[in-house]
Amino acid sequence: MNWLANLGAWVIEKIAATGRASQVLYGALVAVPRPIKNTPLVIRQMYVVGVQSLLIIVVSGLFIGMVMALQGYTILVDYGAEDSLGPMVALSLLRELGPVVTALLFAGRAGSALTAEIGLMKATEQLSSLEMMAIDPLRRVIAPRFWAGFICMPMLAVIFSAVGILGGHLVGVDWLGVDSGSYWSIMQSTVDFRADVLNGVIKSFVFAVIVTWIAVFKGYDCLPTSEGISKATTETVVHSSLTVLGLDFILTALMFGIE
Amino acid sequence: MNSRKIELVVGFFVALAIAAVLMLAFNVANKGITGEGETYDLYAKFDNIGGLKVRSAVKVGGVTVGRVTSIKLDDKDFTPVVTLTIAKQYTNFPETSSVSILTSGLLGEQYVGLQPGFSFDGIEPLKEGDFIEDTKSALVLEDLIGQFLFSKSKD
Protein backbone atom coordinates (compact mmCIF):
# COMPACT_ATOMS: atom_id res chain seq x y z
CA MET A 1 0.00 0.00 0.00
CA ASN A 2 2.90 2.26 0.76
CA TRP A 3 4.21 2.35 -2.79
CA LEU A 4 0.74 3.26 -4.05
CA ALA A 5 0.68 6.26 -1.72
CA ASN A 6 4.17 7.24 -2.89
CA LEU A 7 3.03 7.05 -6.50
CA GLY A 8 0.03 9.22 -5.71
CA ALA A 9 2.18 11.76 -3.87
CA TRP A 10 4.59 11.88 -6.82
CA VAL A 11 1.81 12.47 -9.35
CA ILE A 12 0.19 15.16 -7.19
CA GLU A 13 3.54 16.91 -6.78
CA LYS A 14 4.16 16.85 -10.56
CA ILE A 15 0.73 18.26 -11.31
CA ALA A 16 1.18 20.95 -8.67
CA ALA A 17 4.57 21.84 -10.15
CA THR A 18 3.01 22.14 -13.61
CA GLY A 19 0.41 24.46 -12.14
CA ARG A 20 3.04 26.62 -10.43
CA ALA A 21 5.08 26.71 -13.66
CA SER A 22 2.02 27.87 -15.61
CA GLN A 23 1.40 30.55 -12.98
CA VAL A 24 4.97 31.83 -13.40
CA LEU A 25 4.58 31.85 -17.19
CA TYR A 26 1.24 33.63 -16.95
CA GLY A 27 2.66 36.20 -14.57
CA ALA A 28 5.57 36.81 -16.89
CA LEU A 29 3.43 37.01 -20.03
CA VAL A 30 0.87 39.52 -18.75
CA ALA A 31 3.78 41.86 -17.98
CA VAL A 32 4.19 42.65 -21.67
CA PRO A 33 1.62 45.41 -22.00
CA ARG A 34 3.98 47.86 -20.30
CA PRO A 35 6.69 48.04 -22.95
CA ILE A 36 8.08 51.50 -22.19
CA LYS A 37 8.59 50.89 -18.50
CA ASN A 38 10.08 47.43 -18.97
CA THR A 39 12.26 47.96 -22.03
CA PRO A 40 15.42 49.03 -20.11
CA LEU A 41 15.09 45.93 -17.93
CA VAL A 42 14.71 43.68 -20.96
CA ILE A 43 17.71 45.30 -22.67
CA ARG A 44 19.84 44.80 -19.56
CA GLN A 45 18.83 41.10 -19.51
CA MET A 46 19.46 40.77 -23.25
CA TYR A 47 22.98 41.89 -22.50
CA VAL A 48 23.39 39.26 -19.78
CA VAL A 49 21.59 36.45 -21.59
CA GLY A 50 22.37 37.20 -25.23
CA VAL A 51 25.54 39.21 -25.65
CA GLN A 52 27.47 37.30 -23.04
CA SER A 53 26.51 34.01 -24.75
CA LEU A 54 27.71 35.31 -28.11
CA LEU A 55 31.30 34.13 -27.78
CA ILE A 56 30.48 30.50 -26.94
CA ILE A 57 27.88 30.43 -29.74
CA VAL A 58 30.26 31.83 -32.36
CA VAL A 59 33.15 29.57 -31.38
CA SER A 60 30.99 26.42 -31.25
CA GLY A 61 29.28 27.31 -34.52
CA LEU A 62 32.61 27.81 -36.24
CA PHE A 63 34.03 24.52 -35.03
CA ILE A 64 30.87 22.50 -35.71
CA GLY A 65 30.75 23.86 -39.26
CA MET A 66 34.42 23.01 -39.73
CA VAL A 67 34.04 19.46 -38.38
CA MET A 68 30.95 18.85 -40.53
CA ALA A 69 32.79 19.99 -43.64
CA LEU A 70 35.73 17.72 -42.83
CA GLN A 71 33.58 14.67 -42.05
CA GLY A 72 31.23 15.30 -44.96
CA TYR A 73 34.10 15.72 -47.38
CA THR A 74 35.74 12.39 -46.49
CA ILE A 75 32.43 10.60 -47.14
CA LEU A 76 31.27 12.55 -50.19
CA VAL A 77 34.63 12.42 -51.98
CA ASP A 78 34.27 8.61 -52.32
CA TYR A 79 31.22 9.19 -54.52
CA GLY A 80 32.72 12.12 -56.38
CA ALA A 81 29.99 14.26 -54.86
CA GLU A 82 32.13 16.70 -52.87
CA ASP A 83 30.31 19.55 -54.63
CA SER A 84 27.31 18.69 -52.45
CA LEU A 85 29.27 19.70 -49.35
CA GLY A 86 27.64 23.14 -49.29
CA PRO A 87 24.01 21.94 -49.09
CA MET A 88 24.98 19.20 -46.63
CA VAL A 89 26.57 21.66 -44.19
CA ALA A 90 23.88 24.32 -44.70
CA LEU A 91 20.87 22.02 -44.40
CA SER A 92 22.07 20.18 -41.32
CA LEU A 93 22.96 23.45 -39.62
CA LEU A 94 19.76 25.28 -40.53
CA ARG A 95 17.36 22.44 -39.84
CA GLU A 96 18.90 20.68 -36.86
CA LEU A 97 22.21 21.69 -35.38
CA GLY A 98 21.61 25.43 -35.32
CA PRO A 99 18.45 25.40 -33.20
CA VAL A 100 19.30 22.32 -31.12
CA VAL A 101 22.95 22.98 -30.24
CA THR A 102 22.16 26.63 -29.55
CA ALA A 103 19.38 25.56 -27.20
CA LEU A 104 21.69 23.12 -25.38
CA LEU A 105 24.48 25.68 -25.06
CA PHE A 106 21.99 28.34 -24.05
CA ALA A 107 20.60 26.08 -21.31
CA GLY A 108 24.10 25.52 -19.97
CA ARG A 109 25.41 29.05 -20.37
CA ALA A 110 22.41 31.31 -19.70
CA GLY A 111 19.68 29.04 -18.30
CA SER A 112 21.74 27.84 -15.35
CA ALA A 113 22.80 31.42 -14.58
CA LEU A 114 19.17 32.57 -14.61
CA THR A 115 18.16 29.80 -12.23
CA ALA A 116 21.03 30.46 -9.84
CA GLU A 117 20.40 34.21 -9.85
CA ILE A 118 16.68 33.98 -9.21
CA GLY A 119 17.22 31.19 -6.68
CA LEU A 120 19.69 33.28 -4.73
CA MET A 121 17.28 36.23 -4.83
CA LYS A 122 14.72 33.93 -3.26
CA ALA A 123 17.15 32.54 -0.67
CA THR A 124 18.23 36.02 0.41
CA GLU A 125 14.56 37.07 0.51
CA GLN A 126 14.93 39.74 -2.13
CA LEU A 127 11.80 38.47 -3.86
CA SER A 128 9.81 38.71 -0.62
CA SER A 129 11.11 42.26 -0.05
CA LEU A 130 9.91 43.24 -3.50
CA GLU A 131 6.49 41.88 -2.62
CA MET A 132 6.60 43.84 0.66
CA MET A 133 7.09 46.99 -1.43
CA ALA A 134 4.06 46.00 -3.53
CA ILE A 135 6.20 45.22 -6.57
CA ASP A 136 5.26 42.00 -8.30
CA PRO A 137 8.51 39.97 -8.60
CA LEU A 138 7.00 38.13 -11.56
CA ARG A 139 6.79 41.40 -13.45
CA ARG A 140 9.97 43.00 -12.21
CA VAL A 141 12.34 39.99 -12.12
CA ILE A 142 10.90 37.08 -14.09
CA ALA A 143 9.27 38.83 -17.07
CA PRO A 144 12.35 40.72 -18.36
CA ARG A 145 14.46 37.58 -18.13
CA PHE A 146 11.85 35.49 -19.91
CA TRP A 147 11.43 37.98 -22.75
CA ALA A 148 15.17 38.49 -23.09
CA GLY A 149 15.68 34.72 -23.49
CA PHE A 150 12.77 34.49 -25.91
CA ILE A 151 14.21 37.25 -28.10
CA CYS A 152 17.88 36.29 -27.85
CA MET A 153 17.88 32.57 -28.53
CA PRO A 154 16.55 32.64 -32.12
CA MET A 155 19.07 35.40 -32.87
CA LEU A 156 21.86 33.28 -31.41
CA ALA A 157 20.67 30.27 -33.44
CA VAL A 158 20.72 32.27 -36.67
CA ILE A 159 24.22 33.56 -35.89
CA PHE A 160 25.29 29.98 -35.07
CA SER A 161 24.09 28.70 -38.46
CA ALA A 162 25.66 31.57 -40.40
CA VAL A 163 29.02 31.19 -38.65
CA GLY A 164 28.86 27.41 -39.12
CA ILE A 165 28.34 27.78 -42.86
CA LEU A 166 31.34 30.14 -43.01
CA GLY A 167 33.35 27.59 -40.99
CA GLY A 168 32.35 24.88 -43.47
CA HIS A 169 33.53 27.17 -46.26
CA LEU A 170 36.82 27.68 -44.45
CA VAL A 171 37.59 23.95 -44.27
CA GLY A 172 35.80 22.72 -47.40
CA VAL A 173 36.91 25.40 -49.83
CA ASP A 174 40.06 26.97 -48.45
CA TRP A 175 41.65 23.82 -47.08
CA LEU A 176 40.22 20.79 -48.93
CA GLY A 177 39.79 22.50 -52.28
CA VAL A 178 36.09 22.20 -53.04
CA ASP A 179 35.18 24.79 -55.66
CA SER A 180 33.92 27.96 -53.97
CA GLY A 181 31.35 28.65 -56.70
CA SER A 182 29.74 25.23 -56.44
CA TYR A 183 29.79 25.39 -52.63
CA TRP A 184 27.57 28.48 -52.72
CA SER A 185 25.56 27.86 -55.89
CA ILE A 186 24.46 24.30 -55.10
CA MET A 187 23.65 25.47 -51.58
CA GLN A 188 21.52 28.26 -53.01
CA SER A 189 19.67 25.95 -55.36
CA THR A 190 18.96 23.42 -52.60
CA VAL A 191 18.16 25.52 -49.53
CA ASP A 192 14.70 27.05 -49.51
CA PHE A 193 14.13 30.15 -47.39
CA ARG A 194 10.67 29.25 -46.21
CA ALA A 195 11.05 25.49 -45.82
CA ASP A 196 14.52 25.41 -44.28
CA VAL A 197 15.53 28.77 -42.81
CA LEU A 198 12.12 29.79 -41.44
CA ASN A 199 11.35 26.33 -40.04
CA GLY A 200 14.67 26.38 -38.21
CA VAL A 201 13.83 29.80 -36.75
CA ILE A 202 10.39 28.57 -35.66
CA LYS A 203 12.08 25.63 -33.96
CA SER A 204 14.42 27.89 -32.05
CA PHE A 205 11.53 30.11 -30.91
CA VAL A 206 9.87 27.00 -29.45
CA PHE A 207 13.13 25.97 -27.77
CA ALA A 208 13.59 29.52 -26.46
CA VAL A 209 10.23 29.39 -24.69
CA ILE A 210 10.96 25.96 -23.22
CA VAL A 211 14.51 26.64 -22.01
CA THR A 212 13.82 30.09 -20.56
CA TRP A 213 10.59 28.98 -18.96
CA ILE A 214 12.25 26.01 -17.26
CA ALA A 215 15.17 28.21 -16.14
CA VAL A 216 13.10 30.97 -14.54
CA PHE A 217 10.61 28.54 -13.04
CA LYS A 218 13.29 26.34 -11.44
CA GLY A 219 14.85 29.43 -9.89
CA TYR A 220 11.53 30.85 -8.71
CA ASP A 221 10.39 27.51 -7.32
CA CYS A 222 13.62 26.27 -5.68
CA LEU A 223 14.13 25.55 -2.01
CA PRO A 224 15.69 28.73 -0.58
CA THR A 225 18.83 27.01 0.63
CA SER A 226 22.26 26.61 -0.92
CA GLU A 227 21.49 22.95 -1.56
CA GLY A 228 18.15 23.82 -3.14
CA ILE A 229 19.77 26.31 -5.50
CA SER A 230 22.40 23.83 -6.64
CA LYS A 231 19.71 21.20 -7.23
CA ALA A 232 17.57 23.66 -9.16
CA THR A 233 20.51 24.69 -11.36
CA THR A 234 21.28 21.06 -12.21
CA GLU A 235 17.63 20.38 -12.93
CA THR A 236 17.45 23.35 -15.29
CA VAL A 237 20.24 22.01 -17.47
CA VAL A 238 19.05 18.39 -17.39
CA HIS A 239 15.36 19.07 -17.90
CA SER A 240 15.77 21.67 -20.63
CA SER A 241 18.30 19.52 -22.55
CA LEU A 242 16.01 16.49 -22.44
CA THR A 243 12.94 18.52 -23.38
CA VAL A 244 14.75 20.19 -26.27
CA LEU A 245 15.98 16.88 -27.68
CA GLY A 246 12.60 15.18 -27.30
CA LEU A 247 10.67 18.12 -28.72
CA ASP A 248 13.12 18.40 -31.60
CA PHE A 249 12.10 14.97 -32.84
CA ILE A 250 8.42 15.89 -32.76
CA LEU A 251 8.99 19.25 -34.48
CA THR A 252 11.19 17.63 -37.13
CA ALA A 253 8.56 14.97 -37.79
CA LEU A 254 5.91 17.68 -38.17
CA MET A 255 8.01 20.00 -40.35
CA PHE A 256 10.09 17.72 -42.55
CA GLY A 257 8.65 14.23 -42.01
CA ILE A 258 5.74 14.20 -44.43
CA GLU A 259 5.97 15.48 -47.95
CA MET B 1 28.86 49.12 -16.84
CA ASN B 2 26.48 52.01 -17.46
CA SER B 3 23.23 51.53 -19.27
CA ARG B 4 24.22 53.52 -22.37
CA LYS B 5 27.10 51.16 -22.98
CA ILE B 6 24.86 48.13 -22.46
CA GLU B 7 22.38 49.51 -24.98
CA LEU B 8 25.23 49.94 -27.44
CA VAL B 9 26.43 46.34 -27.05
CA VAL B 10 22.89 44.95 -27.30
CA GLY B 11 22.38 47.04 -30.43
CA PHE B 12 25.53 45.51 -31.89
CA PHE B 13 24.20 42.04 -31.02
CA VAL B 14 20.87 42.70 -32.74
CA ALA B 15 22.65 44.10 -35.81
CA LEU B 16 24.79 40.97 -35.94
CA ALA B 17 21.68 38.78 -35.82
CA ILE B 18 20.05 40.80 -38.61
CA ALA B 19 23.22 40.46 -40.68
CA ALA B 20 23.13 36.69 -40.13
CA VAL B 21 19.48 36.51 -41.27
CA LEU B 22 20.28 38.57 -44.36
CA MET B 23 23.22 36.28 -45.15
CA LEU B 24 21.01 33.20 -44.79
CA ALA B 25 18.28 34.79 -46.89
CA PHE B 26 20.39 36.06 -49.79
CA ASN B 27 23.57 34.02 -49.74
CA VAL B 28 22.41 30.60 -48.59
CA ALA B 29 18.76 30.20 -49.60
CA ASN B 30 17.62 30.45 -53.18
CA LYS B 31 16.29 33.85 -54.01
CA GLY B 32 13.59 31.74 -55.44
CA ILE B 33 12.45 31.47 -58.98
CA THR B 34 8.81 30.75 -58.07
CA GLY B 35 9.60 31.88 -54.52
CA GLU B 36 8.29 35.35 -55.18
CA GLY B 37 7.35 37.20 -58.32
CA GLU B 38 4.73 36.36 -60.87
CA THR B 39 4.56 32.90 -62.36
CA TYR B 40 2.39 30.87 -64.68
CA ASP B 41 1.67 27.14 -64.75
CA LEU B 42 2.21 24.68 -67.58
CA TYR B 43 1.35 20.98 -67.47
CA ALA B 44 3.06 17.95 -68.96
CA LYS B 45 2.16 14.27 -68.99
CA PHE B 46 4.98 11.76 -68.80
CA ASP B 47 4.97 7.97 -69.01
CA ASN B 48 7.48 7.75 -66.19
CA ILE B 49 8.91 10.54 -64.10
CA GLY B 50 11.72 8.52 -62.53
CA GLY B 51 13.12 10.37 -59.52
CA LEU B 52 11.60 13.78 -60.27
CA LYS B 53 10.45 15.59 -57.13
CA VAL B 54 8.41 18.63 -56.22
CA ARG B 55 10.77 21.66 -56.27
CA SER B 56 12.99 20.13 -58.97
CA ALA B 57 14.25 22.75 -61.42
CA VAL B 58 12.88 23.46 -64.89
CA LYS B 59 15.75 24.47 -67.17
CA VAL B 60 16.06 25.85 -70.67
CA GLY B 61 19.56 25.30 -71.97
CA GLY B 62 20.85 25.10 -68.40
CA VAL B 63 19.13 28.28 -67.20
CA THR B 64 16.62 27.68 -64.41
CA VAL B 65 13.32 29.25 -65.48
CA GLY B 66 10.96 27.61 -63.00
CA ARG B 67 10.24 24.72 -60.68
CA VAL B 68 8.07 21.63 -60.46
CA THR B 69 5.29 22.55 -58.04
CA SER B 70 3.13 19.44 -58.05
CA ILE B 71 3.14 15.87 -59.31
CA LYS B 72 -0.16 14.01 -59.58
CA LEU B 73 -1.45 10.87 -61.21
CA ASP B 74 -4.12 11.38 -63.85
CA ASP B 75 -7.01 9.21 -62.66
CA LYS B 76 -8.23 8.32 -66.19
CA ASP B 77 -5.14 7.05 -67.99
CA PHE B 78 -2.90 6.59 -64.95
CA THR B 79 0.00 8.71 -66.17
CA PRO B 80 1.78 11.26 -64.01
CA VAL B 81 0.89 14.91 -64.61
CA VAL B 82 3.63 17.37 -63.65
CA THR B 83 2.89 21.03 -62.98
CA LEU B 84 5.71 23.32 -64.15
CA THR B 85 5.60 26.77 -62.56
CA ILE B 86 7.54 29.17 -64.78
CA ALA B 87 8.56 32.73 -63.93
CA LYS B 88 6.61 35.40 -65.85
CA GLN B 89 9.79 36.87 -67.24
CA TYR B 90 10.24 33.77 -69.41
CA THR B 91 7.21 33.67 -71.68
CA ASN B 92 6.46 32.99 -75.33
CA PHE B 93 7.72 29.43 -75.52
CA PRO B 94 6.08 28.12 -78.71
CA GLU B 95 3.49 25.31 -78.64
CA THR B 96 5.95 23.01 -80.37
CA SER B 97 8.29 23.01 -77.36
CA SER B 98 9.16 19.68 -75.81
CA VAL B 99 10.04 18.68 -72.25
CA SER B 100 12.19 15.79 -71.10
CA ILE B 101 13.34 14.58 -67.70
CA LEU B 102 17.12 14.77 -67.49
CA THR B 103 19.72 13.99 -64.85
CA SER B 104 22.50 16.36 -63.90
CA GLY B 105 25.63 14.26 -63.77
CA LEU B 106 25.68 10.50 -63.40
CA LEU B 107 24.11 10.36 -59.94
CA GLY B 108 22.83 13.93 -59.68
CA GLU B 109 19.29 15.03 -59.11
CA GLN B 110 16.73 15.00 -61.90
CA TYR B 111 15.29 18.09 -63.52
CA VAL B 112 12.93 18.99 -66.33
CA GLY B 113 14.62 20.20 -69.52
CA LEU B 114 12.46 22.41 -71.70
CA GLN B 115 13.47 22.50 -75.35
CA PRO B 116 11.85 25.46 -77.12
CA GLY B 117 10.45 24.45 -80.51
CA PHE B 118 10.29 26.37 -83.76
CA SER B 119 7.77 29.11 -84.02
CA PHE B 120 6.20 30.05 -87.34
CA ASP B 121 2.82 31.34 -88.40
CA GLY B 122 -0.10 29.59 -86.79
CA ILE B 123 1.93 28.41 -83.81
CA GLU B 124 0.82 30.09 -80.63
CA PRO B 125 2.96 30.65 -77.50
CA LEU B 126 2.28 28.48 -74.43
CA LYS B 127 -0.08 30.12 -71.96
CA GLU B 128 -1.18 29.52 -68.37
CA GLY B 129 -2.75 26.07 -68.06
CA ASP B 130 -1.54 24.66 -71.40
CA PHE B 131 -0.38 21.08 -71.73
CA ILE B 132 2.97 20.45 -73.38
CA GLU B 133 2.29 17.57 -75.76
CA ASP B 134 5.78 16.45 -76.67
CA THR B 135 7.34 14.79 -73.61
CA LYS B 136 10.18 12.35 -73.08
CA SER B 137 10.21 10.24 -69.96
CA ALA B 138 12.98 9.76 -67.46
CA LEU B 139 15.71 7.31 -68.26
CA VAL B 140 15.24 4.33 -65.95
CA LEU B 141 18.51 2.48 -65.55
CA GLU B 142 16.85 -0.94 -65.08
CA ASP B 143 14.92 -0.61 -68.37
CA LEU B 144 18.11 0.39 -70.12
CA ILE B 145 20.01 -2.64 -68.78
CA GLY B 146 17.04 -4.85 -69.70
CA GLN B 147 17.04 -3.58 -73.29
CA PHE B 148 20.78 -4.05 -73.51
CA LEU B 149 20.61 -7.65 -72.29
CA PHE B 150 17.66 -8.35 -74.62
CA SER B 151 19.54 -7.04 -77.65
CA LYS B 152 22.65 -8.98 -76.59
CA SER B 153 20.71 -12.25 -76.33
CA LYS B 154 19.37 -11.82 -79.88
CA ASP B 155 22.88 -11.63 -81.34
Side-chain angles (χ1 to χ4, degrees):
Chain A
M1 265 309 140
N2 210 10
W3 63 270
L4 205 60
N6 284 342
L7 180 70
W10 183 77
V11 170
I12 289 171
E13 160 54 26
K14 287 297 155 202
I15 292 172
T18 314
R20 290 199 300 278
S22 311
Q23 249 175 359
V24 170
L25 186 67
Y26 177 77
L29 289 179
V30 294
V32 208
R34 302 194 304 182
I36 296 165
K37 206 173 170 192
N38 279 341
T39 305
L41 290 175
V42 173
I43 287 181
R44 169 144 208 114
Q45 288 308 318
M46 278 175 71
Y47 174 74
V48 176
V49 164
V51 177
Q52 293 191 342
S53 307
L54 203 53
L55 188 66
I56 185 176
I57 292 292
V58 168
V59 172
S60 338
L62 187 70
F63 276 99
I64 284 183
M66 281 161 64
V67 166
M68 291 227 311
L70 196 54
Q71 291 279 16
Y73 181 81
T74 52
I75 295 168
L76 290 173
V77 78
D78 288 346
Y79 302 97
E82 67 266 28
D83 283 345
S84 302
L85 192 67
M88 196 208 89
V89 171
L91 283 181
S92 30
L93 276 169
L94 289 169
R95 288 181 173 182
E96 287 299 327
L97 290 173
V100 172
V101 177
T102 307
L104 296 179
L105 290 172
F106 190 83
R109 166 68 186 73
S112 59
L114 284 180
T115 307
E117 191 188 10
I118 297 170
L120 198 68
M121 280 184 185
K122 193 180 182 189
T124 52
E125 296 185 340
Q126 294 179 43
L127 295 183
S128 327
S129 336
L130 280 178
E131 264 177 79
M132 293 271 288
M133 292 187 282
I135 298 170
D136 186 358
L138 285 178
R139 288 195 162 190
R140 174 79 198 183
V141 175
I142 306 291
R145 286 169 174 74
F146 179 81
W147 284 105
F150 179 73
I151 297 167
C152 284
M153 218 182 82
M155 297 206 292
L156 290 172
V158 168
I159 293 173
F160 183 97
S161 300
V163 171
I165 290 167
L166 291 178
H169 185 270
L170 199 69
V171 167
V173 175
D174 298 331
W175 180 24
L176 296 170
V178 174
D179 180 52
S180 177
S182 62
Y183 184 86
W184 290 115
S185 70
I186 299 180
M187 190 192 294
Q188 280 167 13
S189 69
T190 316
V191 178
D192 186 75
F193 186 73
R194 209 165 302 155
D196 300 316
V197 180
L198 272 190
N199 270 348
V201 171
I202 291 170
K203 255 189 189 179
S204 64
F205 268 114
V206 175
F207 295 159
V209 172
I210 294 295
V211 171
T212 331
W213 184 17
I214 289 179
V216 292
F217 169 67
K218 289 288 177 193
Y220 194 75
D221 199 54
C222 75
L223 277 180
T225 58
S226 47
E227 202 186 10
I229 295 172
S230 89
K231 189 162 168 265
T233 315
T234 315
E235 277 180 358
T236 295
V237 177
V238 174
H239 287 192
S240 38
S241 306
L242 289 179
T243 317
V244 163
L245 291 173
L247 208 60
D248 178 51
F249 177 76
I250 297 170
L251 286 176
T252 307
L254 288 177
M255 287 171 174
F256 305 109
I258 310 135
E259 275 284 297
Chain B
M1 215 192 254
N2 61 35
S3 76
R4 194 77 201 136
K5 214 167 175 182
I6 286 177
E7 282 169 7
L8 191 73
V9 181
V10 171
F12 171 74
F13 171 55
V14 174
L16 195 68
I18 292 171
V21 170
L22 288 182
M23 181 201 148
L24 293 181
F26 292 109
N27 231 340
V28 174
N30 48 10
K31 279 148 264 178
I33 279 186
T34 79
E36 285 90 37
E38 301 208 3
T39 57
Y40 64 103
D41 288 352
L42 299 176
Y43 300 92
K45 272 187 185 177
F46 292 94
D47 291 332
N48 189 334
I49 57 165
L52 195 73
K53 290 186 193 68
V54 171
R55 277 180 61 202
S56 297
V58 179
K59 294 183 181 181
V60 177
V63 179
T64 305
V65 297
R67 293 201 180 272
V68 173
T69 46
S70 95
I71 298 173
K72 288 197 188 75
L73 198 66
D74 189 298
D75 46 9
K76 290 206 183 66
D77 52 6
F78 304 109
T79 50
V81 180
V82 174
T83 308
L84 313 171
T85 302
I86 315 279
K88 266 273 162 65
Q89 67 192 99
Y90 304 106
T91 45
N92 293 329
F93 294 116
E95 275 182 321
T96 49
S97 302
S98 65
V99 283
S100 40
I101 296 178
L102 304 169
T103 311
S104 54
L106 194 58
L107 297 166
E109 59 183 277
Q110 291 191 302
Y111 64 94
V112 176
L114 201 162
Q115 184 75 44
F118 295 108
S119 64
F120 39 86
D121 284 348
I123 297 293
E124 302 215 344
L126 288 166
K127 293 184 303 292
E128 163 85 41
D130 281 355
F131 269 83
I132 300 174
E133 304 293 338
D134 187 2
T135 63
K136 286 186 207 72
S137 290
L139 209 65
V140 179
L141 205 58
E142 286 87 339
D143 290 354
L144 210 65
I145 295 170
Q147 277 174 11
F148 175 73
L149 291 177
F150 186 67
S151 66
K152 269 281 178 195
S153 65
K154 272 201 295 195
D155 289 344

